[in-house]
Amino acid sequence: MATPVKRKRLVEKSLPPKIESYIPESRLFAQLQALERRLDTKIVRKRLEVQEALGKPVYKKRILRIFVSNLAANQTGAAGAVGADDMDDGRLGAADAPSWTLRIEGRLLDATGATPKARATPHKFSEFINSMVVELERDPDLYSDNVVQWRRAAADNDVDGFEVKRRGDEDVKVKIMLDIRTATDRFKVNSPLLRELLDIRGPISKAGFIMRLWQYIKFNNLQDGDDPDQIRCDAGLAQALGSSVVSFTTLPQMLHVFLTRPDPLIIEYTVRVHAGDFHMAQYAFDVEVEIEEPSRQSVGPLANVQARHRELSQIESQLAQKMQDIHNARTKRDFLRSFAEDPVAFVHRWIDNQTKDLEVILGDRRHGLEAALGAIMAADSTAQELTAERQQALERETA
């Protein structure tokens, strides 16, 4: 297994201060470093925002189509042929009594360009309903169960539709009230003036309502110049809020009184028992709902983060190598320039430094240039003595 090569990094990524006098363009590197610090700060902040966003579900708007219909059974063909007393007294068997069944169903329309894989997980109709109320317009003296209610419970299983079955052989008008479920709580703005000023056309969340108001304040320049926490309302906003000066700290509490639960979706239908065994409303009803998107789609824009990170690491490695080359070149230049300006003093300093290094290695206690010169002279004396002895030996051999 190959040993991984360690990447060289400098502790300090800054150029020497004096280098600017020799290379004026080096100030651009300092500016680039300042820009890099600001960019790193923004990257850290955005990374935290992305991590927080990835932890939240992502919702997409889709269209829920609602169908209303009814079934009829054991009808005689003439209204009122069978009395309510006969049915209540049990004169007709349960299987023979005329009856009808109201059906409320819904399905999610496929998104434009959706693939079969995207439609693999169907959604149930009851997933998008918080509650439902069905009111039957029948004589309360004859029929007591004219109101049917359903509310979502945690233990309930989601279904594709609801059925309401009743006995009777007469057409019945029905009012269906649906409370549509949303991902975030939405409210109705009960002030017509505020709706007109802020251009609000339907239910809106609290955050969206405050954002609309803030945009209105910024567009009309209503903040106090001396105290930005104060809002100087114009004529329309003062009439809506009931005050000409409003503080930002009290604004959320003031806006709470303008928000109420949105109106339910109301569908009116007539159960027809003499139009055949099956009857459907002439129109279907489309409602905009929010569904949770798979997590893999929420991280789509971040798919190439790792590749970009590797590319950034390579650039940092190249930058570290260039910085090392610059420091080496500066050291070499200072060495040669010092030698060119005063060779004698440079040689003395160099010999002194080398001597100190040798003393550290050998453990010698002598210091300074004199010690180095003494060592050189002693070496020369020894060499001269050896040379004299060799010359005398050579003369004796010749004689």
Side-chain angles (χ1 to χ4, degrees):
M1 182 176 180
T3 303
V5 179
K6 294 185 178 180
R7 185 172 55 194
K8 296 181 180 180
R9 286 183 178 272
L10 295 177
V11 178
E12 182 67 26
K13 289 185 178 180
S14 60
L15 296 176
K18 296 182 179 179
I19 200 171
E20 186 176 347
S21 60
Y22 309 113
I23 307 177
E25 293 80 2
S26 62
R27 67 170 63 94
L28 299 177
F29 183 77
Q31 297 175 2
L32 183 61
Q33 283 185 315
L35 177 62
E36 183 183 16
R37 287 191 292 268
R38 294 195 300 269
L39 184 61
D40 289 341
T41 302
K42 292 184 178 181
I43 288 176
V44 171
R45 185 173 67 252
K46 289 298 180 182
R47 184 178 298 171
L48 295 176
E49 293 177 358
V50 168
Q51 291 177 354
E52 182 181 0
L54 292 179
K56 298 179 180 179
V58 179
Y59 294 94
K60 186 177 181 180
K61 293 183 179 180
R62 296 279 295 276
I63 298 299
L64 176 67
R65 180 159 293 177
I66 302 175
F67 304 91
V68 182
S69 61
N70 72 271
L71 301 174
N74 302 322
Q75 302 297 326
T76 60
V82 179
D85 295 337
D86 295 334
M87 290 183 290
D88 293 342
D89 295 341
R91 298 174 186 176
L92 294 176
D96 299 331
S99 61
W100 51 264
T101 302
L102 175 67
R103 302 177 64 180
I104 307 168
E105 303 167 302
R107 66 180 179 87
L108 202 63
L109 299 184
D110 295 332
T112 304
T115 60
K117 187 176 180 180
R119 299 191 295 266
T121 306
H123 295 270
K124 301 292 187 178
F125 173 57
S126 61
E127 292 182 35
F128 309 102
I129 306 298
N130 282 325
S131 63
M132 181 183 66
V133 178
V134 180
E135 295 182 354
L136 308 177
E137 293 187 9
R138 300 193 299 177
D139 189 354
D141 296 333
L142 299 178
Y143 306 98
S144 58
D145 50 354
N146 292 331
V147 178
V148 180
Q149 296 184 2
W150 176 87
R151 295 187 181 278
R152 167 173 292 278
D156 291 345
N157 295 324
D158 292 317
V159 295
D160 289 323
F162 301 92
E163 291 186 352
V164 178
K165 186 174 182 179
R166 292 292 185 269
R167 295 182 180 181
D169 57 355
E170 295 181 347
D171 295 346
V172 179
K173 292 184 178 181
V174 177
K175 179 185 290 186
I176 305 169
M177 292 172 284
L178 300 174
D179 181 12
I180 303 299
R181 187 181 184 185
T182 57
T184 57
D185 291 335
R186 295 183 177 272
F187 301 89
K188 173 186 175 182
V189 180
N190 54 19
S191 173
L193 183 56
L194 267 181
R195 290 200 302 265
E196 185 67 23
L197 288 175
L198 306 182
D199 192 24
I200 299 175
R201 304 301 178 187
I204 190 172
S205 63
K206 288 184 178 180
F209 182 43
I210 295 177
M211 180 59 66
R212 290 286 186 92
L213 181 59
W214 170 245
Q215 292 174 352
Y216 180 85
I217 293 171
K218 293 293 290 183
F219 181 78
N220 294 279
N221 195 21
L222 301 182
Q223 276 186 285
D224 194 314
D226 299 331
D227 186 4
D229 189 53
Q230 300 295 323
I231 302 172
R232 302 289 179 179
C233 302
D234 56 9
L237 190 60
Q239 182 180 357
L241 299 180
S243 177
S244 59
V245 180
V246 180
S247 175
F248 265 113
T249 56
T250 60
L251 194 59
Q253 291 78 8
M254 293 181 60
L255 298 180
H256 182 72
V257 299
F258 297 103
L259 300 178
T260 57
R261 293 293 302 173
D263 297 330
L265 174 64
I266 298 178
I267 300 175
E268 294 184 350
Y269 175 75
T270 300
V271 176
R272 301 190 182 278
V273 297
H274 302 296
D277 294 339
F278 176 78
H279 177 263
M280 177 175 283
Q282 184 178 1
Y283 303 102
F285 304 89
D286 289 347
V287 182
E288 190 177 70
V289 295
E290 298 175 340
I291 63 172
E292 184 175 351
E293 287 292 287
S295 58
R296 60 177 179 86
Q297 297 184 9
S298 63
V299 296
L302 304 177
N304 59 348
V305 169
Q306 294 182 350
R308 296 298 183 186
H309 182 71
R310 288 193 296 268
E311 182 180 354
L312 182 60
S313 299
Q314 294 176 359
I315 295 175
E316 289 182 350
S317 178
Q318 296 175 3
L319 177 62
Q321 184 62 41
K322 295 297 181 182
M323 292 292 299
Q324 183 67 52
D325 296 341
I326 290 174
H327 280 273
N328 294 338
R330 174 180 174 271
T331 303
K332 183 177 180 181
R333 178 191 176 278
D334 292 343
F335 179 86
L336 296 177
R337 183 176 180 179
S338 178
F339 179 76
E341 290 177 350
D342 191 353
V344 176
F346 177 81
V347 171
H348 281 278
R349 288 195 303 270
W350 182 77
I351 294 176
D352 188 46
N353 292 333
Q354 295 298 321
T355 303
K356 291 179 180 179
D357 294 339
L358 183 62
E359 290 173 358
V360 172
I361 295 174
L362 300 179
D364 195 347
R365 296 183 178 181
R366 291 180 298 173
H367 301 282
L369 181 60
E370 294 78 5
L373 293 177
I376 295 174
M377 294 175 63
D380 292 341
S381 177
T382 303
Q384 291 176 1
E385 292 176 358
L386 292 175
T387 302
E389 291 177 357
R390 290 177 181 176
Q391 188 175 3
Q392 294 174 2
L394 182 62
E395 291 176 355
R396 286 194 299 268
E397 291 177 358
T398 302

